[in-house]
Amino acid sequence: MANPTAAICIIGDEILSGRTKDKNIGWLADQLTELGIQLTEARIIADVKETIIRHITDLSDSNDYVFTSGGIGPTHDDITTESVAQAFGVSVERNREALHRLEQHYKGTDIVLNEVRKKMADIPIGATLIDNPVSAAPGFCLKNVYVMAGVPSIMQSMFDGIAPSLKKGTIPTRLTVQCQTGEGNVAHILEQISDRYETVSVGSYPWFKPGQFGTAVVLTGLDKNRVVKAANELCVLVRQSGYEAEDAI
C-alpha cells in the first residue's frame, strides 16, 4: 500500500529571521494525515527567485502534491507567483476572474483597488484559481503545486476549499506503547520490531517527570493489523526484559 505524497514549502524571509513564527506546517501536516496523504518533508526558504524556482522544481518532481504558503501579496518582495510560473516555463498575466473577485471585494469600502493591489490578480497562464473566502485575493494551482497565502487563517480557508479535490489515501494507524524505562534499555527491542515489521514505522521519544522517566514508543503504519501485532509484540519483549510496558493506545 502506498499513499499519495506531499511536501510543504514555506516561503518568507520573515519566517527565517524569527520575526514571524510559522503556524502553517503543523496545521497542514495534521490535515494531510487525516486525508491519508503522506507528508515527506517541509522546507522554509527565503524570498529569492532562484531559490524558490529550485525548490519548487525539486519538490514537484518528487511528490504528488506541493503546498506553498507566503509571498503572494501586493508588495515588491512577494515574488512567489512569478517564481512558480518561471519554474514551469509559463508567463504571468492579469487574470480576469481574479481581478473581478478583487473588484467585488473592495467595492463599497474605503480601500482603493490601486495598481499595487491589482498585482494580486496576476496569475500564471494555465493555472486554476484557489478560492480565498477571507480576503478575496486567490491562490492558484499550477501542475501539482498549490500556492497559498502565508497568513494562517487565509491559508487554512484556501486549503479547506481544495481538500475535497485531492486524491485520498489510507489514514495511518498510530499506536503508542509507554515503557517505564529509558530508551537505551529497549533500543535493541525497537530494532528487532523495526526489522520484523518493515512497513511499520517505529519511533522512540524519551520523557521525564519528577522522579520518573520513560520512553514513549510510537508505531505507525497503513496496515492496522500489522501495527497492532507489532505493538503487542513490543509489549511482550519489553516485559520479558524486566521492564513495565503499558498496552498500546
Side-chain angles (χ1 to χ4, degrees):
M1 295 184 294
N3 277 351
T5 61
I8 297 172
C9 189
I10 307 297
I11 303 168
D13 293 342
E14 72 278 7
I15 302 294
L16 292 172
S17 70
R19 188 183 67 82
T20 299
K21 310 303 180 186
D22 174 70
K23 297 181 180 179
N24 291 334
I25 292 177
W27 187 89
L28 270 174
D30 285 341
Q31 303 307 304
L32 294 172
T33 297
E34 289 302 313
L35 293 173
I37 299 174
Q38 180 185 354
L39 179 61
T40 62
E41 62 178 305
R43 302 180 187 181
I44 302 176
I45 63 175
D47 291 304
V48 177
K49 181 180 292 187
E50 293 76 13
T51 301
I52 297 172
I53 292 171
R54 184 174 73 254
H55 285 279
I56 291 298
T57 301
D58 179 43
L59 294 173
S60 175
D61 287 342
S62 55
N63 292 275
D64 294 307
Y65 300 113
V66 179
F67 301 96
T68 81
S69 74
I72 60 172
T75 59
H76 73 283
D77 58 341
D78 289 314
I79 59 172
T80 298
T81 296
E82 59 189 271
S83 301
V84 172
Q86 192 167 331
F88 291 110
V90 300
S91 301
V92 173
E93 67 177 1
R94 184 64 47 88
N95 184 283
R96 292 183 179 178
E97 174 59 26
L99 181 60
H100 174 71
R101 295 183 187 187
L102 290 174
E103 290 171 340
Q104 293 300 114
H105 179 73
Y106 287 106
K107 183 186 296 184
T109 72
D110 295 329
I111 302 174
V112 177
L113 181 57
N114 55 25
E115 285 302 314
V116 173
R117 293 190 175 94
K118 287 180 181 179
K119 176 189 173 185
M120 295 186 290
D122 291 346
I123 304 293
I125 295 174
T128 57
L129 300 182
I130 298 176
D131 290 338
N132 175 357
V134 177
S135 58
F140 63 86
C141 175
L142 185 60
K143 305 293 185 180
N144 63 338
V145 178
Y146 292 79
V147 177
M148 300 179 290
V151 177
S153 60
I154 301 177
M155 186 279 296
Q156 291 173 18
S157 69
M158 287 182 169
F159 185 83
D160 287 342
I162 63 177
S165 67
L166 301 176
K167 180 181 178 182
K168 314 294 190 297
T170 302
I171 299 177
T173 295
R174 181 175 290 114
L175 296 177
T176 300
V177 175
Q178 294 290 354
C179 304
Q180 306 300 319
T181 186
E183 60 181 350
N185 293 330
V186 295
H188 65 291
I189 297 174
L190 305 187
E191 185 174 2
Q192 290 179 42
I193 295 296
S194 181
D195 290 343
R196 197 168 299 163
Y197 298 89
E198 294 182 355
T199 60
V200 177
S201 171
V202 181
S204 63
Y205 308 94
W207 52 265
F208 303 90
K209 298 178 182 179
Q212 189 180 16
F213 65 93
T215 306
V217 181
V218 180
L219 303 98
T220 308
L222 301 183
D223 186 332
K224 181 177 180 180
N225 292 331
R226 295 283 290 174
V227 177
V228 171
K229 187 175 180 180
N232 290 339
E233 187 170 335
L234 171 66
C235 287
V236 171
L237 292 176
V238 171
R239 290 163 183 162
Q240 287 177 349
S241 297
Y243 306 109
E244 294 183 20
E246 299 178 7
D247 291 335
I249 57 173

